[in-house]
Amino acid sequence: MTTISTPVDNGVDIEFLRGAREQLAEEPEGAKFTWRVTNTWVRGTHSQTTARGFFGLGEEQDRPQAFHFDADHPEVFSADDNGATPTELLLAALASCLTAGVATVAQNRDIQLRSVSATLEGDMDVRGVLGADTDVRNGYSHIRVTYAIDADASAADIEALVAQSQKRSAVYDIVTNPTNVTVRVA
Amino acid sequence: MTTISTPVDNGVDIEFLRGAREQLAEEPEGAKFTWRVTNTWVRGTHSQTTARGFFGLGEEQDRPQAFHFDADHPEVFSADDNGATPTELLLAALASCLTAGVATVAQNRDIQLRSVSATLEGDMDVRGVLGADTDVRNGYSHIRVTYAIDADASAADIEALVAQSQKRSAVYDIVTNPTNVTVRVA
């Protein structure tokens, strides 16, 4: 009996990533990346952030295009709602990091994905940011991420896929663990 | 002698926010917000996140429009660069939260802003996310935020403005302190 199987293709260049892992283990200087954005105040709570260049693989890297993100507060805070709230942007960062990880780990484990979607919810008591109660933290008390994944794999393998994505996610690490931030005025 | 002064206007409705602070201190149920996004995998490391509805002031809130964010990995990782990286989105969240805070605190302190811009840099050793060295963390080792602010205020007052924005920022809190994240598959 002859079995013809279609190669798994989630659009992730896993051979390249396996090579990069080996190469950067030997040449750790190239692994030192600096991601960078600029932010410009527009008016009120509205600002725009731009991402384009970054440093990595030992040199400054440019891209064909810049990416722009508007952020603002919504009308319930008497603001102009010209963009998502910063706290929604944070959820977008977490979501996209975990989903990129799901696709990458699936490719690494020969699992064909058909669809991946996630809903993220973050609970926040706004008495914190308003300064109404200093015992209330400013940020999220809890973030819930719920994935719906259709793939050529068992439920257990899909669970393991998501668990491994968490384990290797930059943004999951930044959110769940303390990260050092220095703020200064030039 | 008559002094005519123009009222400070940074576009922030500070009277509303002062009222909300008092009201929500008395009615803390209304202060319980849940921010929400949905994320859909496109292909490879490319996904799109959408923000629109949220829960707050005791009920579900809709907005006139949804906000969309594409994220991807860049060409140096052999990806398609269809959007900013998730780690740049995280910097955008931090930048926009601090800048909204600068505008709000300035309004509260009667400081007229003329321009506010910030550069954010985050250092990351990608051996972490690649799994090349388990002693290297996945996320940022350090984030640097540098503000340039032109305002009707002394350098010391501008420093204090930025410090107060940090103190009340949701995203600064989430990044610098541990935040609980639960991930599950539906």
Side-chain angles (χ1 to χ4, degrees), chain B residues 43-59:
Chain B
R43 181 180 158 75
T45 49
H46 180 203
S47 71
Q48 194 179 59
T49 302
T50 299
R52 181 163 181 174
F54 58 91
F55 181 88
L57 306 181
E59 60 187 352

Side-chain angles (χ1 to χ4, degrees), chain A residues 86-95 98 118-124 137-147 166 171-177, chain B residues 33-37 90 93 170-171 173-175 177-184:
Chain A
T87 50
E88 289 168 316
L89 268 172
L90 182 121
L91 295 181
L94 179 59
L98 290 171
T119 302
L120 284 81
E121 292 188 318
D123 298 329
M124 197 177 128
R137 80 173 284 191
N138 300 323
Y140 285 129
S141 56
H142 196 144
I143 297 172
R144 291 175 297 282
V145 182
T146 309
Y147 269 97
Q166 274 176 263
V171 177
Y172 180 84
D173 175 20
I174 296 165
V175 171
T176 57
N177 296 301
Chain B
F33 274 61
T34 298
W35 300 102
R36 190 188 307 130
V37 303
L90 182 121
V171 177
D173 175 20
I174 296 165
V175 171
N177 296 302
T179 301
N180 187 18
V181 179
T182 308
V183 183
R184 70 181 191 92

Side-chain angles (χ1 to χ4, degrees), chain A residues 9-13 16-17 21 24 28 31-41 43-45 47 49 51 54 57 61 63-65 67 69 71 73-74 76-78 81-97 99-100 103-104 113-114 116-132 137-147 158-159 162 166-186, chain B residues 9-13 16-17 21 24-25 28 31-41 43-45 47 49 51 54 57 61 63-65 67 69 71 73-74 76-78 81-97 99-100 103-104 113-114 116-132 137-147 158-159 162 166-186:
Chain A
D9 181 11
N10 297 316
V12 173
D13 187 349
F16 175 88
L17 293 175
R21 180 170 57 188
L24 294 175
K32 291 181 180 167
F33 274 62
T34 299
W35 301 102
R36 190 189 304 131
V37 303
T38 55
N39 174 267
T40 305
W41 176 59
R43 182 180 158 76
T45 48
S47 71
T49 303
F54 58 90
L57 305 181
Q61 304 283 347
R63 282 177 167 128
Q65 59 175 326
F67 301 106
F69 305 100
H73 287 175
V76 294
F77 294 147
S78 193
D81 199 30
N82 284 306
T85 61
T87 50
E88 289 168 316
L89 268 172
L90 182 121
L91 295 181
L94 179 59
S96 55
C97 199
T99 295
T104 304
L113 298 173
R114 279 186 292 264
V116 180
S117 63
T119 302
L120 284 81
E121 292 188 318
D123 298 329
M124 197 177 128
D125 187 327
V126 299
R127 288 179 299 166
V129 290
L130 286 169
R137 80 173 284 191
N138 300 323
Y140 285 129
S141 56
H142 196 144
I143 297 172
R144 291 175 297 282
V145 182
T146 309
Y147 269 97
I158 290 173
E159 293 270 358
V162 172
Q166 274 176 263
K167 202 175 160 188
R168 289 269 73 83
S169 164
V171 177
Y172 180 84
D173 175 20
I174 296 165
V175 171
T176 57
N177 296 301
T179 300
N180 188 19
V181 179
T182 308
V183 183
R184 69 181 192 92
V185 181
Chain B
D9 181 11
N10 297 316
V12 173
D13 187 351
F16 175 88
L17 293 175
R21 179 170 59 190
L24 294 175
K32 290 182 181 167
F33 274 61
T34 298
W35 300 102
R36 190 188 307 130
V37 303
T38 54
N39 174 267
T40 306
W41 176 59
R43 181 180 158 75
T45 49
S47 71
T49 302
F54 58 91
L57 306 181
Q61 304 282 347
R63 282 173 165 131
Q65 59 176 327
F67 302 106
F69 305 101
H73 288 174
V76 294
F77 294 146
S78 194
D81 199 30
N82 283 307
T85 61
T87 50
E88 289 169 317
L89 268 172
L90 182 121
L91 294 181
L94 179 60
S96 56
C97 199
T99 295
T104 304
L113 298 174
R114 279 186 292 265
V116 180
S117 63
T119 302
L120 284 80
E121 292 188 318
D123 298 330
M124 197 177 127
D125 187 327
V126 298
R127 287 179 299 166
V129 290
L130 287 168
R137 79 174 283 190
N138 299 323
Y140 286 129
S141 57
H142 196 142
I143 297 172
R144 290 176 297 281
V145 182
T146 310
Y147 270 97
I158 290 173
E159 292 270 359
V162 172
Q166 274 176 262
K167 202 175 161 187
R168 288 270 73 82
S169 165
V171 177
Y172 180 84
D173 175 20
I174 296 165
V175 171
T176 57
N177 296 302
T179 301
N180 187 18
V181 179
T182 308
V183 183
R184 70 181 191 92
V185 180

